[in-house]
């Protein structure tokens, strides 16, 4: 069989095994065999237990903290390169360290740029990810980046809710573009929250731009960490007469007491994808799988066909 006709291999980083299994199943294959040797000091070494010579390999792993998750992806890229893989696609449903996308104050690192360079140095020939914290991160790479949008999986769910007087909201000025894109597709109004931070993860003040009285509001954001912004925004909107407030957040980082904060908040529902596995089950959190989306795009990458039909907006 010609080299370019060899079927691809799909491997999972340890932090994303469940999602990788779903993606592989949707793709129509099984996960490749991989073993990881752990040393007593915390060092580890992944190894492919089957040949990848001349093949495209898809390495699936979100790089949320700890840094071991990023390191595992880098080691797997390097292993695939040294095993003579033809193409190495780093499938990173959640691209970690993306909040460090610029120098927002003196003497700080641009972490997202550093991660991009590390991935390329390790051997990645293509990056596949979803809902980057900042679109310009794509420009940090010299390799192709397939930037998918979670709206593809969230919009059908929102439509199934059949909400009256729907309004899309952005929890901050930076997310206004995303909110406008959702509102255009859903033909709804838009409101924006203006916030001032005291420090990272701590909000000093928030104001609402727009009317929400009698509206079914859906807040849209790329990630949720401590949940402070969304729950404060939900409180503000309910005070202003909103009928209900839901939130869509692609990446459920959910650190600290975020789970308790969400459960005790005025949010009717928090809708997230499975790019990051939940640490616990909470009744207000609804998970929508991104596995089929990634599997479809992986097929198109392998077949060298356009992926533009995957974008609903």
């Amino acid at each position: 069989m010609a080299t370019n006709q060899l079927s691809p291999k799909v491997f999972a980083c340890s932090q994303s095994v469940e999602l990788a299994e779903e993606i592989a199943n949707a793709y129509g294959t099984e996960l490749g065999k991989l073993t990881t040797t752990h040393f007593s000091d915390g060092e580890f070494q992944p190894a492919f237990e089957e040949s990848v010579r001349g093949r495209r390999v898809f390495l699936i792993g979100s790089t949320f903290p700890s840094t071991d998750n990023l390191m595992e992806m880098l080691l797997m890229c390097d292993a695939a390169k040294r095993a003579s893989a033809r193409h190495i696609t780093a499938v990173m449903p959640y691209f970690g360290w993306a909040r460090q996308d610029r120098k927002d104050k003196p003497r700080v690192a641009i972490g997202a740029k550093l991660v991009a360079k590390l991935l390329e140095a390790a051997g990645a020939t293509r990056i596949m990810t979803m809902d980057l914290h900042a679109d310009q991160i794509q420009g940090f790479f010299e390799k192709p980046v397939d930037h998918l949008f979670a709206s593809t999986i969230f919009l059908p769910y929102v439509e199934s809710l059949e909400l009256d007087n729907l309004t899309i909201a952005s929890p901050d000025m930076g997310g206004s573009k995303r909110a406008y894109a959702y509102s255009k597709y859903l033909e709804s109004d838009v409101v924006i929250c203006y916030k001032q931070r005291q420090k990272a993860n701590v909000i000093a003040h928030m104001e609402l731009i727009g009317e929400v009285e009698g509206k079914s509001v859906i807040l849209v954001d790329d990630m949720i960490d401590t949940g402070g912004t969304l729950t404060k925004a939900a409180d503000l909107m309910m005070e202003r007469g909103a009928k209900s407030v839901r939130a869509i957040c692609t990446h459920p980082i959910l650190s600290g007491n975020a789970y308790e904060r969400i459960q005790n908040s005025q949010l009717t529902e928090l809708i997230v994808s499975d790019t990051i596995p939940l640490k616990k089950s909470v009744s207000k959190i609804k998970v929508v799988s991104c596995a089929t989306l990634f599997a479809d795009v992986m097929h198109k990458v392998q077949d060298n066909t356009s992926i533009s039909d995957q974008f609903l907006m």
Side-chain angles (χ1 to χ4, degrees):
M1 184 180 293
T3 301
N4 60 3
Q5 294 179 325
L6 291 175
S7 59
K9 296 277 189 178
V10 181
F11 296 92
C13 294
S14 59
Q15 72 276 16
S16 298
V17 171
E18 185 175 344
L19 174 58
E21 287 177 342
E22 292 181 17
I23 293 174
N25 183 61
Y27 188 91
T29 188
E30 295 182 352
L31 288 179
K33 296 177 182 177
L34 182 78
T35 60
T36 303
T37 301
H38 291 271
F39 301 93
S40 61
D41 64 348
E43 184 180 333
F44 57 92
Q45 181 184 55
F48 300 114
E49 294 300 312
E50 53 190 271
S51 175
V52 297
R53 182 178 296 274
R55 296 178 185 265
R56 180 188 297 278
V57 295
F58 292 102
L59 308 176
I60 302 174
S62 288
T63 53
F64 52 92
S66 73
T67 51
D68 282 357
N69 294 332
L70 172 59
M71 191 66 191
E72 183 175 5
M73 174 61 79
L74 295 172
L75 289 171
M76 288 175 64
C77 286
D78 189 72
K81 177 179 65 177
R82 297 178 189 282
S84 300
R86 185 178 180 85
H87 297 289
I88 303 168
T89 302
V91 181
M92 304 163 68
Y94 172 66
F95 185 92
W97 315 95
R99 283 175 281 190
Q100 300 179 46
D101 62 303
R102 65 196 185 284
K103 279 191 71 174
D104 56 353
K105 58 184 177 181
R107 298 176 295 280
V108 296
I110 303 178
K113 171 79 170 181
L114 175 61
V115 170
K117 292 303 178 187
L118 287 170
L119 286 164
E120 290 180 341
T125 59
R126 191 179 199 95
I127 308 299
M128 190 180 297
T129 189
M130 186 166 70
D131 276 10
L132 285 167
H133 185 64
D135 289 345
Q136 66 265 23
I137 292 173
Q138 297 172 78
F140 293 170
F141 289 91
E142 300 303 322
K143 306 295 183 182
V145 177
D146 296 311
H147 184 206
L148 312 184
F149 298 117
S151 55
T152 306
I153 61 173
F154 288 141
L155 283 170
Y157 179 77
V158 171
E159 291 177 315
S160 73
L161 296 174
E162 298 181 347
L163 298 173
D164 295 327
N165 297 323
L166 176 64
T167 293
I168 300 299
S170 172
D172 52 40
M173 301 298 287
S176 59
K177 179 182 176 182
R178 182 180 293 107
Y180 279 117
Y182 271 79
S183 70
K184 182 178 179 181
Y185 181 89
L186 295 166
E187 298 180 345
S188 68
D189 294 332
V190 178
V191 297
I192 298 175
C193 296
Y194 171 73
K195 66 183 179 183
Q196 294 177 321
R197 287 193 183 277
Q198 181 178 334
K199 58 182 180 179
N201 297 128
V202 178
I203 300 169
H205 180 69
M206 178 179 285
E207 287 291 343
L208 182 63
I209 304 172
E211 296 294 329
V212 295
E213 186 172 357
K215 303 286 189 177
S216 299
V217 182
I218 297 183
L219 285 151
V220 180
D221 209 352
D222 65 306
M223 65 175 67
I224 176 170
D225 191 351
T226 63
T229 297
L230 285 177
T231 54
K232 191 174 182 66
D235 291 343
L236 180 58
M237 289 174 182
M238 292 301 289
E239 289 173 10
R240 299 287 178 88
K243 184 178 179 181
S244 66
V245 182
R246 288 174 169 82
I248 291 175
C249 295
T250 306
H251 308 298
I253 300 171
L254 297 173
S255 63
N257 63 345
Y259 286 91
E260 292 73 19
R261 183 175 282 159
I262 293 298
Q263 188 63 23
N264 298 327
S265 73
Q266 297 197 64
L267 285 170
T268 301
E269 187 177 35
L270 170 64
I271 306 153
V272 301
S273 76
D274 51 354
T275 57
I276 299 174
L278 297 182
K279 301 180 184 71
K280 62 176 76 172
S281 177
V282 174
S283 62
K284 283 191 176 183
I285 300 179
K286 163 74 176 178
V287 180
V288 181
S289 178
C290 62
T292 300
L293 172 60
F294 275 96
D296 288 346
V297 174
M298 286 162 56
H299 264 299
K300 292 179 183 298
V301 167
Q302 172 66 8
D303 297 337
N304 294 313
T305 58
S306 173
I307 67 170
S308 29
D309 61 353
Q310 295 293 332
F311 307 124
L312 295 183
M313 61 185 196

